[in-house]
Amino acid sequence: MDLSKIITNPDKLFYPADLIFKKDVIAYYYLMADHILPYISNRPFVMNRFPDGIAGKSFYQKEIPAYAPNFLNKVAIWHEKEKKWVNYPYVAHKEALLWLVNQGVIELHCWLSEVPQIENPDILVFDLDPEPPLSFQDCLPVALLLREVLLKLGLEAWPKTSGKEGMHLFVPIEPKYGFKDTTRAAFNLCRLILKAYPEKVTLERVIKKRTGKVYLDYLQNSRGRTMVFPYSLRPLPKAPVSTPLLWEEVTKGEISPAEFNIKTIWERVKKYGDLWSNFHRRRYDIKPLLELM
DNA sequence: GCCGAGT
DNA sequence: ACTCGGCAACGCCTG
DNA sequence: CAGGCG
Ligand SMILES: [Mn+2]
Ligand SMILES: [Mn+2]
């Protein structure tokens, strides 16, 4: 791979307050690629682009640019409302990832399904969004209860920080259901959590009704929605990283998401490697969740 | 980051 | 030669 | 139905 053919403007300032340059973002993804690719490979990718850094104008882009190189793959996805096909890029190797990063992509936003089975998600997600002034700490007991119930039903959840204040649990599933099924499965479990923790969580879609609660955003499992994937940088001061966690850390609660960032993450990766390295060893059937009534 | 339309 | 706008809807839920 | 939401 010839980086000099892929990278432009390496000295552009991307995180002004932290003196983090475009070349630092490129280097981060170059060095982290082996930990990232197992999770994002072959997933339809939505580009959230910051060509002038996090303080500049940003935009989302689904359609792969006409000028993209052949080594960036694409997949046509039907958009029902617009009645048209949209060609999404998907990453299959490091070179493709770095090309996207050079385009100003800072965050890794991917579908929960993989090519070619794009209509069958292989991840079920539990998206914990603490409504301010709640914070990451308030997600912890909710995440633990989710894990406990999932284990009782025979499913395994993998925790990470979102990089902001929230938390994500990913459950690897067999890609044999549709998005409506996985969304229903997530809803069923979230409804159970609401029953157990009515003071802590909410399923309300109207923001004004969420005050003081953690929003369990089960709709994040719908078709066309994306999630931030493991080891994604976030476009926030200090360049926080969406960081895989030990359940022991979730239990102890002595961590905060801001401590995992582009500068500090390497010490953690050296100590633990990829904490999700066994994520793909087993996939689960969501049937027990569909039967929760 | 790059293209294309307008000036 | 230069500037400037565009680059994203999807699909669900609520009232 | 229009509008909110992520
Ligand atoms: Mn979230
Ligand atoms: Mn959310």
Side-chain angles (χ1 to χ4, degrees):
Chain A
M1 176 181 34
D2 190 352
L3 269 186
S4 68
K5 289 206 172 88
I6 295 179
I7 306 310
T8 55
N9 291 316
D11 294 318
K12 190 178 272 197
L13 193 48
F14 259 33
Y15 289 79
D18 307 300
L19 294 184
I20 296 167
F21 295 84
K22 186 177 180 185
K23 61 190 171 193
D24 300 317
V25 173
I26 299 279
Y28 170 81
Y29 281 114
Y30 182 90
L31 294 169
M32 200 63 92
D34 286 346
H35 286 340
I36 290 171
L37 288 169
Y39 304 107
I40 72 166
S41 285
N42 304 321
R43 299 184 183 279
F45 193 104
V46 173
M47 296 168 278
N48 185 13
R49 297 177 55 189
F50 298 78
D52 296 310
I54 67 168
K57 271 211 163 58
S58 71
F59 56 93
Y60 285 90
Q61 190 171 13
K62 294 177 178 174
E63 180 79 37
I64 189 171
Y67 56 83
N70 289 330
F71 62 73
L72 181 63
N73 293 312
K74 54 175 176 268
V75 56
I77 297 182
W78 180 250
H79 283 201
E80 180 59 32
K81 203 181 281 180
E82 279 235 321
K83 304 282 182 210
K84 69 171 187 185
W85 294 93
V86 174
N87 299 300
Y88 284 65
Y90 67 91
V91 167
H93 48 74
K94 186 165 168 174
E95 200 173 16
L97 172 61
L98 293 177
W99 187 85
L100 289 172
V101 175
N102 187 62
Q103 289 295 301
V105 168
I106 289 178
E107 299 187 292
L108 309 173
H109 285 279
C110 296
W111 276 40
L112 297 174
S113 60
E114 290 184 21
V115 174
Q117 278 181 263
I118 57 169
E119 300 301 338
N120 304 112
D122 64 346
I123 292 173
L124 182 71
V125 66
F126 293 91
D127 177 23
L128 285 61
D129 293 334
E131 186 66 19
L134 295 198
S135 68
F136 182 77
Q137 292 298 320
D138 300 290
C139 296
L140 301 175
V142 181
L144 289 169
L145 183 56
L146 277 164
R147 180 201 191 199
E148 193 179 320
V149 177
L150 282 166
L151 280 176
K152 282 211 173 97
L153 296 171
L155 290 85
E156 183 182 16
W158 298 79
K160 67 181 181 73
T161 66
S162 77
K164 300 188 175 178
E165 286 299 320
M167 188 179 310
H168 299 153
L169 308 186
F170 280 20
V171 178
I173 62 171
E174 296 168 7
K176 63 182 196 183
Y177 296 93
F179 287 98
K180 287 191 173 145
D181 304 311
T182 55
T183 303
R184 165 62 58 175
F187 172 68
N188 286 350
L189 178 49
C190 290
R191 198 181 37 184
L192 199 66
I193 304 300
L194 175 64
K195 207 176 292 179
Y197 282 161
E199 309 306 316
K200 285 188 169 69
V201 309
T202 176
L203 307 188
E204 285 290 347
R205 272 169 47 89
V206 176
I207 292 177
K208 285 184 174 181
K209 296 184 181 174
R210 292 182 196 164
T211 45
K213 310 270 179 66
V214 172
Y215 175 47
L216 285 178
D217 186 6
Y218 64 93
L219 288 169
Q220 209 62 48
N221 291 282
S222 317
R223 187 182 190 274
R225 306 276 292 263
T226 58
M227 285 298 290
V228 166
F229 268 65
Y231 303 104
S232 175
L233 294 176
R234 306 307 304 269
L236 294 174
K238 300 279 191 285
V241 173
S242 180
T243 304
L245 301 172
L246 291 165
W247 276 112
E248 184 188 334
E249 293 173 312
V250 181
T251 304
K252 288 190 174 160
E254 291 164 358
I255 47 170
S256 104
E259 77 188 65
F260 306 126
N261 58 57
I262 195 171
K263 291 225 172 4
T264 62
I265 195 68
W266 298 108
E267 183 186 2
R268 182 176 175 85
V269 165
K270 191 174 173 188
K271 181 173 176 185
Y272 290 123
D274 174 22
L275 282 174
W276 282 23
S277 59
N278 288 326
F279 180 82
H280 291 102
R281 220 170 48 177
R282 244 194 105 178
R283 295 166 297 143
Y284 299 88
D285 195 324
I286 60 171
K287 195 161 174 239
L289 295 172
L290 293 171
E291 288 168 351
L292 274 182
M293 279 301 157

